[in-house]
Amino acid sequence: MIHANSATLATPYLQVRGVGMTFGPVTALSGVDIDVVPGQVHALLGENGAGKSTLMSIISGTLTPTSGSVSVGGIERTGLTPAEALELGISIVHQTPALLPDLTVSENMALAIPRSLRPSVFEIGPWVTEKLAAVGCVVHPDTKCGDLPIAERQLIEIAKALATETKVLILDEPTAPLVQDKVDLLFERVRSVAAAGVAVVYITHRIPEVRELADTMTILRDGRVRGSYDPQTLTDDEIITLIAGRDVDAVFPPKRQGPAGDGLVVDALSGRDFDDISFSVGAGEIVGLAGVAGNGQVSLLRALAGLTPSTGSVRLGGTELSLTSSANAHRAGVAFMPADRAGEGVLSEFSIRENAALGAFGRFLRNGIIDRGRESRLTTEMSSALTVKAPSVETLVGNLSGGNQQKVVLARALLAQPTLILAEEPTQGVDAGARAEIYAQLRAAADDGMAVVVLSSDALELEGLCDRVLVISRGTIVESLSGDDLTERNMMSAMVSSTGHRTEKSESDDARGRGSVATAPSRVARSLPSYILLGAVVLLALIATTQNVRFLGEANISSILLTTTALGFIALGQMLVVMTGGIDLSVGPLTGLVLVIMSFFWYDGASVTRLLGGIVIAVAAAIVVGAINGGLIRGLKFTAVAATLVTYIGIQGVSLLLRPEIDGYVDFTILDVINYSLGPVPVASVIVVLAAVGLAVALRYARPGIALRASGSNASIAEKFGVRTGVTVTAAYVGCSLLTMLGGIMLVGQVGVGDPNQGITFTLASITAVVVAGTLLRGGSGSPIAVLLGALLLQVILAMANFLRLGTAWQYWLQGGIVIIAAVLYIGLQKRQATRHH
């Protein structure tokens, strides 16, 4: 490894000059200058809110600086895009893993890494496995990232960055969620890439990591550079003083002599990954949970919070608790602080006040109405006590640093005035000064009579903060340490002596214990919505046949398939926009507009030119409608409902203007071509099936398809991958309109006359087909095959109602019932899956 005294002689590959960044009234950076040299590990230290992550976001292209410039390879730039940063060889591992939750590990890697550096998506599995193994991760490539615990996601993020031909590697708190063996492996990789000439920027709050890795370190404080130093020449106290700009008091507050009263009593508690656990935590006592990752301590804490099922007895203050849900636990006086603050801890679009007050509404109610003055006063007082760095409590939490977000999580727990606080990794990614403040608040809570349970992977933290520590191995308590016996050495000894014999177990077994997935997800599980819908179609068809044998006759089958084809095309288009997190209300009127247009061009005796002209105008109309929808949503920031409602009204108005009354009959020869069948199977229905299969392949294996799903999964993260989300979303709306146009042509074959009102019902029908297919309305996921089966199911219901002479009301009731059953079923499956992976 090249050391600081020689590395500084090299020409910097990355130079930051005079960079400033403001967010409204908040100045995050001011006049920052930094040089990053190839072959050097450059540590960047500073308190939470000092500007470290903001600076890295500017370098990686996520943010454009208010002032100053960034020079890469000698070329000065005032701002970069994420795609440009990637092309210049800048890779970043974010403090909160920037992975798309609805995409698999392979898809995340395929989207982030240039084609020249990876195999095709059809062959990417073994390559991904190899890259993950290099950082000690055994997750299966086909696992959805949203199903993985944060530690595994962090390893994938690291593997993703190392898989590129990086010239500048930025690591923002990479070790926060990792256990020691993974940290050692990461350090080995960092040293090897630095030795190969890569410039490494390493952001951390852990001074021992700086000493072990860094050639030089730069201190940021209040958005300004305070100096660069050789980390080996300063003591820990001197570094902490430079970071804080002041002398920091003792990190850990003094401990109490013993518990003040009855608190938490756990008796024979069992659940996922733990069994027959019994212990107590007195009111006024802080008890820590220690253990090697994957030994059940996380599951135990989440069970006490009511987040995972458990059996046994739990009493709090002498009252038996029912931990069937987190809501029950909260009402009983339990406050939970999750480790994954971004995913579970805060609502980034809410203010500090709103986040802090979420768990304590009862304190702010007056005659059933929230007293905003009291709410603001108490949240401001708590924010000040925790020194949350923000202009006011009205600041959005998403604009805060990770450490300040953690303080907001603690503020919410304390404002609730609970009887029990459950803190999972309470200082993860938090600077030294903020740690001392969090420790002081937890101790103050205990002094006020609360029972506190702290789960931490930092043995020194447990030793300094806790009155007792319980060491957990293989789901049981193997040691209880207190007093003089409560030392880091004794904790580590208990962990190693209890788990050392497990080294013969396969890595896949350990991976499962940590919540990762080491085997391929079941194909049946992935295709479950399709199987459910197919089963429902068969069941309803059999029921109808028992009442009327003609239901499965050739004529009825052909009729059902034809109507399914029209709805199928439109529903596939609707699915595209729903997968981006949007919706298109204009598909119904657009279908009617296509019908009206064709009634002017496809009349009896029309020339070939006239026939083709109708198609060209219909295609053009579809493209214009899709572009308008996309422009209103992405350009003018309309909501999807508002934008497509505007086009809904406009299109319907145009249709009625063109055909005020039903008129314009289509040539029967054209109708025969559209409806042409081979036996009972219309050719058009084969085409729509091929379209669904093609879409399924494109969404799974083609970069544009993966980018579309990424835009709906998380647009801000997708942009960090270089996805042009605005173009992608607009393309989805154009694609929806074009598919709707095909559905309109199929409607021509069924109606045969210009009727502007014929298409309106397709808006609701297409949305219903998408919903019953299990497509996530928030975006990111969906199955074209399931959507097509959903359309078929709706047409079978309509045909069944007609054959059984049921009224129109029954048609709506049956469809509504199917939607409710599907929603309940899919939500239940999602909850079960989420429980399995936590």
Side-chain angles (χ1 to χ4, degrees):
M1 181 166 139
I2 302 175
H3 293 283
N5 55 2
S6 59
T8 52
L9 299 177
T11 301
Y13 181 74
L14 176 69
Q15 292 180 299
V16 176
R17 290 292 178 267
V19 163
M21 189 71 203
T22 58
F23 299 96
V26 179
T27 299
L29 295 172
S30 179
V32 172
D33 294 340
I34 289 180
D35 290 340
V36 182
V37 178
Q40 184 184 62
V41 178
H42 193 135
L44 188 62
L45 286 80
E47 288 188 293
N48 294 117
K52 305 182 301 298
S53 294
T54 300
L55 178 60
M56 294 306 105
S57 293
I58 289 171
I59 293 172
S60 62
T62 305
L63 293 175
T64 301
T66 308
S67 59
S69 64
V70 177
S71 296
V72 184
I75 301 174
E76 184 176 339
R77 296 170 180 265
T78 55
L80 295 169
T81 66
E84 289 171 342
L86 289 170
E87 289 175 4
L88 292 168
I90 299 174
S91 300
I92 182 168
V93 173
H94 297 274
Q95 182 178 6
T96 300
L99 297 171
L100 294 153
D102 297 299
L103 271 61
T104 66
V105 178
S106 290
E107 289 166 344
N108 271 274
M109 298 281 274
L111 196 61
I113 296 169
R115 177 68 181 86
S116 59
L117 299 179
R118 60 168 174 80
S120 73
V121 289
F122 295 100
E123 306 168 328
I124 201 171
W127 180 85
V128 170
T129 299
E130 177 188 342
K131 297 302 179 184
L132 295 179
V135 295
C137 182
V138 292
V139 170
H140 194 278
D142 286 339
T143 307
K144 278 189 177 182
C145 287
D147 292 339
L148 296 170
I150 190 169
E152 300 294 351
R153 281 183 274 145
Q154 187 74 349
L155 289 174
I156 295 166
E157 176 89 332
I158 293 167
K160 175 164 64 73
L162 293 175
T164 63
E165 290 183 351
T166 185
K167 295 180 180 178
V168 178
L169 176 62
I170 301 170
L171 300 166
D172 190 355
E173 287 287 347
T175 63
L178 303 183
V179 293
Q180 190 58 48
D181 60 333
K182 299 298 185 289
V183 172
D184 294 339
L185 190 57
L186 171 62
F187 284 2
E188 182 182 327
R189 292 302 308 275
V190 171
R191 294 187 188 99
S192 67
V193 297
V198 173
V200 180
V201 180
Y202 192 89
I203 303 173
T204 184
H205 293 303
R206 300 173 187 268
I207 295 173
E209 293 183 356
V210 176
R211 296 195 187 285
E212 186 171 349
L213 273 182
D215 300 296
T216 188
M217 66 178 182
T218 294
I219 306 293
L220 271 181
R221 187 170 70 249
D222 297 328
R224 296 178 180 272
V225 172
R226 304 298 175 172
S228 295
Y229 309 88
D230 182 344
Q232 308 304 330
T233 63
L234 299 176
T235 65
D236 287 2
D237 287 341
E238 289 172 334
I239 293 174
I240 292 172
T241 299
L242 286 168
I243 291 171
R246 66 189 189 281
D247 290 333
V248 177
D249 296 333
V251 174
F252 298 107
K255 300 180 181 181
R256 290 178 59 105
Q257 294 301 313
D262 292 338
L264 174 71
V265 179
V266 178
D267 185 25
L269 193 69
S270 298
R272 180 175 176 81
D273 299 329
F274 65 92
D275 184 59
D276 198 25
I277 293 279
S278 298
F279 68 95
S280 64
V281 182
E285 186 180 26
I286 300 179
V287 171
L289 300 180
V292 176
N295 275 270
Q297 60 270 36
V298 173
S299 296
L300 170 61
L301 200 72
R302 296 182 73 86
L304 292 174
L307 293 168
T308 57
S310 61
T311 59
S313 172
V314 178
R315 296 191 302 279
L316 186 59
T319 302
E320 188 79 19
L321 299 188
S322 173
L323 298 178
T324 54
S325 70
S326 58
N328 284 346
H330 178 74
R331 283 193 293 269
V334 180
F336 176 58
M337 296 172 55
D340 185 4
R341 57 175 169 259
E344 296 182 292
V346 297
L347 299 171
S348 60
E349 298 300 319
F350 280 35
S351 67
I352 295 171
R353 172 183 56 79
E354 291 167 321
N355 271 276
L358 275 175
F361 282 133
R363 296 187 63 186
F364 310 128
L365 290 177
R366 178 176 294 177
N367 299 322
I369 300 174
I370 293 177
D371 183 340
R372 291 297 185 194
R374 177 176 172 79
E375 181 189 55
S376 180
R377 185 177 69 257
L378 290 179
T379 53
T380 299
E381 290 173 359
M382 185 60 70
S383 178
S384 298
L386 290 167
T387 62
V388 177
K389 293 185 177 180
S392 75
V393 291
E394 299 306 320
T395 303
L396 295 183
V397 166
N399 292 336
L400 302 181
S401 67
N404 281 302
Q405 290 181 7
Q406 186 70 8
K407 292 180 183 179
V408 174
V409 174
L410 177 57
R412 181 170 64 240
L414 296 176
L415 276 173
Q417 295 181 322
T419 306
L420 170 66
I421 294 178
L422 304 173
E424 181 184 3
E425 303 288 357
T427 62
Q428 184 170 277
V430 173
D431 64 71
R435 285 187 181 200
E437 293 163 358
I438 290 174
Y439 295 149
Q441 290 293 333
L442 289 175
R443 177 53 66 183
D447 290 343
D448 286 341
M450 301 179 198
V452 181
V453 179
V454 175
L455 187 157
S456 177
S457 56
D458 187 339
L460 283 175
E461 177 172 271
L462 294 174
E463 177 184 343
L465 177 64
C466 299
D467 301 303
R468 282 188 295 130
V469 170
L470 307 176
V471 182
I472 297 178
S473 176
R474 297 185 120 184
T476 61
I477 297 173
V478 295
E479 190 70 76
S480 177
L481 302 171
S482 60
D484 293 338
D485 293 331
L486 179 47
T487 65
E488 179 187 18
R489 180 183 181 87
N490 287 343
M491 276 184 268
M492 298 305 297
S493 175
M495 293 180 205
V496 173
S497 62
S498 297
T499 61
H501 65 280
R502 297 179 68 210
T503 55
E504 295 301 317
K505 290 187 69 174
S506 69
E507 287 191 24
S508 61
D509 287 340
D510 284 339
R512 292 188 190 95
R514 292 190 301 271
S516 57
V517 180
T519 57
S522 167
R523 291 182 182 273
V524 173
R526 287 201 301 263
S527 303
L528 191 58
S530 297
Y531 290 123
I532 292 172
L533 291 170
L534 183 59
V537 167
V538 172
L539 178 62
L540 290 177
L542 291 175
I543 291 173
T545 303
T546 61
Q547 302 299 313
N548 190 326
V549 293
R550 291 182 299 159
F551 187 83
L552 290 180
E554 183 174 316
N556 192 49
I557 290 176
S558 181
S559 175
I560 290 174
L561 292 179
L562 276 172
T563 54
T564 298
T565 302
L567 177 58
F569 277 120
I570 300 167
L572 289 173
Q574 188 73 255
M575 181 202 69
L576 291 181
V577 298
V578 169
M579 289 179 71
T580 68
I583 198 166
D584 192 347
L585 302 179
S586 68
V587 295
L590 180 57
T591 306
L593 178 61
V594 171
L595 178 59
V596 167
I597 290 172
M598 295 313 177
S599 72
F600 283 99
F601 288 87
W602 285 4
Y603 54 82
D604 187 14
S607 66
V608 174
T609 302
R610 191 84 177 177
L611 296 175
L612 294 177
I615 295 175
V616 170
I617 291 177
V619 169
I623 292 173
V624 169
V625 169
I628 290 174
N629 284 333
L632 290 174
I633 293 166
R634 296 297 304 188
L636 299 180
K637 307 302 180 185
F638 277 45
T639 63
V641 170
T644 58
L645 183 59
V646 168
T647 51
Y648 179 110
I649 296 170
I651 295 168
Q652 189 64 16
V654 171
S655 295
L656 290 170
L657 184 64
L658 293 173
R659 288 289 187 198
E661 297 179 356
I662 299 174
D663 197 5
Y665 289 89
V666 177
D667 185 359
F668 281 104
T669 304
I670 296 176
L671 299 183
D672 290 339
V673 171
I674 294 173
N675 298 328
Y676 183 75
S677 299
L678 297 174
V681 181
V683 172
S685 66
V686 176
I687 294 174
V688 76
V689 169
L690 293 176
V693 172
L695 271 178
V697 172
L699 290 169
R700 171 86 179 180
Y701 297 108
R703 180 179 171 82
I706 298 174
L708 184 146
R709 292 165 51 213
S711 298
S713 182
N714 189 308
S716 61
I717 292 179
E719 288 170 357
K720 293 177 182 178
F721 281 58
V723 174
R724 298 171 65 189
T725 55
V727 173
T728 301
V729 170
T730 301
Y733 277 92
V734 171
C736 175
S737 294
L738 289 171
L739 285 165
T740 298
M741 184 270 298
L742 293 176
I745 289 176
M746 290 306 305
L747 185 63
V748 171
Q750 297 166 38
V751 177
V753 65
D755 183 355
N757 296 313
Q758 278 291 328
I760 291 177
T761 58
F762 282 100
T763 293
L764 181 58
S766 65
I767 295 171
T768 304
V770 169
V771 170
V772 299
T775 306
L776 298 176
L777 294 181
R778 61 172 173 77
S781 180
S783 166
I785 304 300
V787 167
L788 197 56
L789 286 169
L792 175 60
L793 176 62
L794 296 182
Q795 297 308 311
V796 167
I797 290 173
L798 292 177
M800 179 179 173
N802 289 329
F803 261 74
L804 301 182
R805 300 184 184 279
L806 300 177
T808 304
W810 272 100
Q811 297 178 15
Y812 287 101
W813 291 342
L814 287 171
Q815 290 185 55
I818 291 292
V819 171
I820 292 172
I821 292 171
V824 170
L825 180 61
Y826 297 143
I827 289 172
L829 291 172
Q830 290 167 13
K831 284 185 176 180
R832 181 179 178 185
Q833 188 177 38
T835 300
R836 187 171 67 247
H837 289 289
H838 275 295

